[in-house]
Amino acid sequence: MCRVHEVQHAVLAKNDALAAALRADLRERDVVLVNLLSSPGSGKTALLERLLTRAVEDGVPVAAITADLATENDARRLARSGAPVKQVLTGGLCHLEAAQLRGHLDGWLPDGTRLLFVENIGNLVCPSSYDLGEELRVVLMSVTEGEDKPVKYPNAFGSANLVVLTKSDLAQAAGFDEPAFRGHVDRVNPGVPLLETSARTEQGIGRLWETVNGGAAVHQPVLARAAADGQHHHAAAHH
């Protein structure tokens, strides 16, 4: 078991180094990477299509990569926005990794791109452990999934710079307990901004667009703070 732990740690450490290098390269090119995480069926493709359409309408140079285990359905949907879109098929892998993402960006990312959206595979477990070099990590959840998801998946929600509640037009029909949801979010990631949206009614889309178009993380997630504190304590002990 200890050996498995060591291998996992080594894999994540290698990914983190590659993600840091990719982040630095993208900053050199003035590209902001936004990593979208959610479970399947949260509505993130519909929401991303709205954001890409808004970016094109506003004249903001934008591009998107969408990852799936199979099919190119999402890429075809997103391309309707008029933005450059690339589909990544992972061949069974349940998450994207920094090296894989870099390989798909090389030679494809259009010059002058300012915002790059990455629609990660629908999964709240594996993708949350892998830094992709993003400036902004957005974790989405629909009202139909139940208000306790943040405490069930603390690594995902605890690593978010922004939490987005989707399909809010269905909240009443789903019997969604919004105060309980907000309490759960605050428990795993105190202070993280929370936006309510609906791709169908366009509720909150303008505010979400303004936030991601701001170009930088609006909140340091609790897991990032814990990692920074751990590095500080380690350095102090070493000293």
Side-chain angles (χ1 to χ4, degrees):
M1 191 68 181
C2 184
R3 176 61 179 160
V4 171
H5 212 47
E6 289 173 0
V7 171
Q8 289 175 335
H9 181 76
V11 169
L12 290 175
K14 181 180 179 181
N15 181 82
D16 287 348
L18 293 170
L22 178 56
R23 182 179 294 106
D25 289 348
L26 291 175
R27 284 176 177 170
E28 278 285 318
R29 300 172 61 178
D30 293 322
V31 179
V32 172
L33 195 162
V34 181
N35 185 8
L36 304 176
L37 277 70
S38 78
S39 58
S42 68
K44 70 176 176 296
T45 304
L47 203 66
L48 179 53
E49 185 180 356
R50 294 285 191 191
L51 291 174
L52 293 176
T53 300
R54 183 68 64 95
V56 171
E57 290 174 348
D58 289 356
V60 176
V62 66
I65 280 185
T66 180
D68 271 308
L69 300 176
T71 82
E72 297 190 358
N73 295 345
D74 287 353
R76 284 193 288 268
R77 286 178 60 188
L78 295 176
R80 296 184 303 202
S81 67
V85 177
K86 185 173 186 179
Q87 179 78 56
V88 173
L89 298 180
T90 64
L93 195 64
C94 64
H95 59 273
L96 277 176
E97 297 182 7
Q100 185 183 24
L101 177 61
R102 170 155 231 152
H104 286 282
L105 290 177
D106 288 346
W108 173 79
L109 187 64
D111 290 337
T113 298
R114 197 170 72 73
L115 264 177
L116 171 63
F117 289 95
V118 175
E119 183 182 17
N120 222 312
I121 292 176
N123 183 342
L124 283 175
V125 182
C126 305
S128 65
S129 298
Y130 288 84
D131 183 1
L132 297 182
E134 67 262 28
E135 295 288 349
L136 185 64
R137 176 174 289 198
V138 181
V139 177
L140 305 93
M141 193 201 90
S142 73
V143 298
T144 58
E145 295 177 65
E147 52 277 342
D148 61 347
K149 279 292 186 294
V151 290
K152 284 187 173 182
Y153 301 96
N155 285 346
F157 286 88
S159 66
N161 301 111
L162 175 67
V163 172
V164 174
L165 185 64
T166 64
K167 305 183 183 182
S168 57
D169 54 304
L170 300 177
Q172 185 173 358
F176 185 71
D177 188 339
E178 185 182 333
F181 171 69
R182 288 180 176 273
H184 291 321
V185 170
D186 195 55
R187 178 176 162 188
V188 299
N189 195 350
V192 66
L194 173 60
L195 295 182
E196 293 182 37
T197 65
S198 167
R200 189 169 69 87
T201 67
E202 296 199 23
Q203 175 191 351
I205 300 298
R207 195 167 159 215
L208 176 58
W209 168 238
E210 289 172 5
T211 301
V212 297
N213 193 33
V218 293
H219 166 79
Q220 186 184 30
V222 68
L223 291 187
R225 295 198 298 268
D229 289 344
Q231 290 172 358
H232 173 74
H233 292 323
H234 177 75
H238 204 55
H239 183 71

